[in-house]
């Protein structure tokens, strides 16, 4: 695996990781202020998002912090240590997401109004705080602003297809579109 040192080394990388609680996520540093991701396991498995605005920072050589607030009201803080194949994430789910996760299990970009309406309709506090360590099980060189990386809903076995080299070609474009 490549060695990560600078923010430029991190941007354009596509990761799959599994939290210690078993939740599996796929996450792409699309550029230095935007990420795309899919959720394959856990409370909101099936959810996927493109063009999420984030704050992305290099803390020290090879250590990155990414933070954002979703339209659901969920706050996320990720600390990536890719040279050690691990990360720590803390997700702050509003009460309504904990009680009605099915509302969020969709392609968020097409349902922003529904997410905002749920924030108004349901309780947001107390938040469910989920702090977990994760093992990075895949890191691919997708390049910046590659729209093929996260371009369809997650399906059963997708992370294995990606890890086994059956999802992207040598240019990091989806096969069998």
């Amino acid at each position: 695996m490549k060695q990560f040192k600078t923010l430029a080394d991190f941007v354009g990388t596509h990761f799959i990781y599994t939290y210690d609680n078993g939740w599996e996520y796929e996450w792409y540093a699309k550029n230095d202020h935007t990420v795309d991701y899919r959720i394959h396991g856990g409370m909101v498995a099936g959810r996927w998002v493109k063009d999420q605005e984030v704050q992305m920072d290099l803390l020290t050589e090879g250590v990155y912090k990414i933070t954002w607030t979703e339209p659901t009201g969920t706050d996320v803080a990720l600390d990536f240590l890719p040279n050690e194949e691990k990360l720590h994430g803390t997700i702050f789910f509003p009460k309504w997401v904990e009680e009605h996760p099915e509302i969020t299990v969709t392609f968020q970009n097409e349902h922003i109004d529904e997410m905002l309406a749920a924030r108004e309709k349901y309780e947001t506090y107390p938040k469910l705080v989920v702090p977990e360590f994760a093992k990075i099980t895949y890191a691919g060189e997708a390049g910046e602003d590659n729209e093929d990386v996260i371009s369809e809903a997650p399906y059963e076995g997708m992370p294995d297809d990606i890890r086994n080299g059956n999802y992207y070609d040598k240019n990091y474009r989806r096969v069998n579109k």
Side-chain angles (χ1 to χ4, degrees), residues 126-149:
K127 289 195 173 198
L128 170 65
V129 180
V130 182
E132 289 285 332
F133 283 95
K135 170 137 181 69
I136 297 172
T137 60
Y138 175 87
E141 292 290 321
E144 282 190 56
D145 299 312
N146 182 340
E147 295 299 333
D148 273 7
V149 179

Side-chain angles (χ1 to χ4, degrees), residues 92-156:
F92 303 83
F93 289 109
K95 187 164 186 59
W96 81 263
V97 175
E98 179 183 12
E99 293 177 347
H100 304 284
E102 71 285 351
I103 296 172
T104 73
V105 178
T106 188
F107 178 42
Q108 175 180 276
N109 299 58
E110 295 178 349
H111 300 277
I112 300 290
D113 289 342
E114 293 166 45
M115 303 300 149
L116 297 175
R119 283 173 64 172
E120 295 301 316
K121 180 178 180 181
Y122 300 110
E123 294 292 320
T124 59
Y125 189 83
K127 289 195 173 198
L128 170 65
V129 180
V130 182
E132 289 285 332
F133 283 95
K135 170 137 181 69
I136 297 172
T137 60
Y138 175 87
E141 292 290 321
E144 282 190 56
D145 299 312
N146 182 340
E147 295 299 333
D148 273 7
V149 179
I150 306 290
S151 59
E152 68 175 322
Y155 61 79
E156 185 73 30

Side-chain angles (χ1 to χ4, degrees), residues 43-60:
M43 180 173 110
V44 290
R47 174 178 170 71
W48 64 297
V49 174
K50 290 185 67 69
D51 302 315
Q52 173 66 56
E53 289 287 328
V54 301
Q55 177 66 44
M56 188 178 299
D57 296 296
L58 174 69
L59 297 180
T60 190

Side-chain angles (χ1 to χ4, degrees), residues 20-31:
D20 289 348
N21 65 7
W23 296 2
E24 188 170 42
Y25 281 60
E26 181 185 356
W27 191 91
Y28 167 50
K30 191 173 202 172
N31 52 54

